[in-house]
Amino acid sequence: MSAGPTITSISPSSGTPSGGTKVSIAGSGLSTATDVQFGNVSAKSSLAITSDSLISVVTPGGGVISNVTLTVVTPQGNATWDEGFFYDASITAVSPASGSDRKSVV
């Protein structure tokens, strides 16, 4: 019987709640992965297996601003990284980028 999978690193470990962040997961026993879950949300449709020690997925949307457990699902068992991914609401753009600096004096 094969040993279950392990996770040794996740990169990047944060992304936006709207999803779309490509995440690389390193470890062992990953070549038989059938799903990767962020909390209870599946990223199965974007799962790409590079080797037994490296897979990648694109984060699903719908996350709330928080840490979530990342789970790699395989027939040999699951590997989890508790609070391994942070859905972050960082400001990435401001529009308009500039404006008037006039101040009113009353």
Side-chain angles (χ1 to χ4, degrees):
M1 181 171 170
S2 304
T6 62
I7 300 170
T8 57
S9 69
I10 300 166
S11 180
S13 59
S14 66
T16 65
S18 59
T21 302
K22 183 177 180 181
V23 175
S24 295
I25 303 163
S28 64
L30 302 177
S31 64
T32 59
T34 58
D35 194 7
V36 175
Q37 298 171 345
F38 291 78
N40 61 358
V41 182
S42 174
K44 182 179 189 172
S45 65
S46 66
L47 176 61
I49 298 169
T50 303
S51 68
D52 194 57
S53 60
L54 184 64
I55 61 176
S56 63
V57 291
V58 175
T59 58
V64 295
I65 300 169
S66 68
N67 285 309
V68 296
T69 297
L70 187 138
T71 304
V72 175
V73 178
T74 75
Q76 293 77 29
N78 299 344
T80 60
W81 190 298
D82 289 335
E83 298 186 355
F85 189 82
F86 182 62
Y87 279 108
D88 184 7
S90 299
I91 297 171
T92 57
V94 175
S95 180
S98 62
S100 171
D101 62 355
R102 294 187 311 174
K103 297 178 182 171
S104 296
V105 177
V106 178

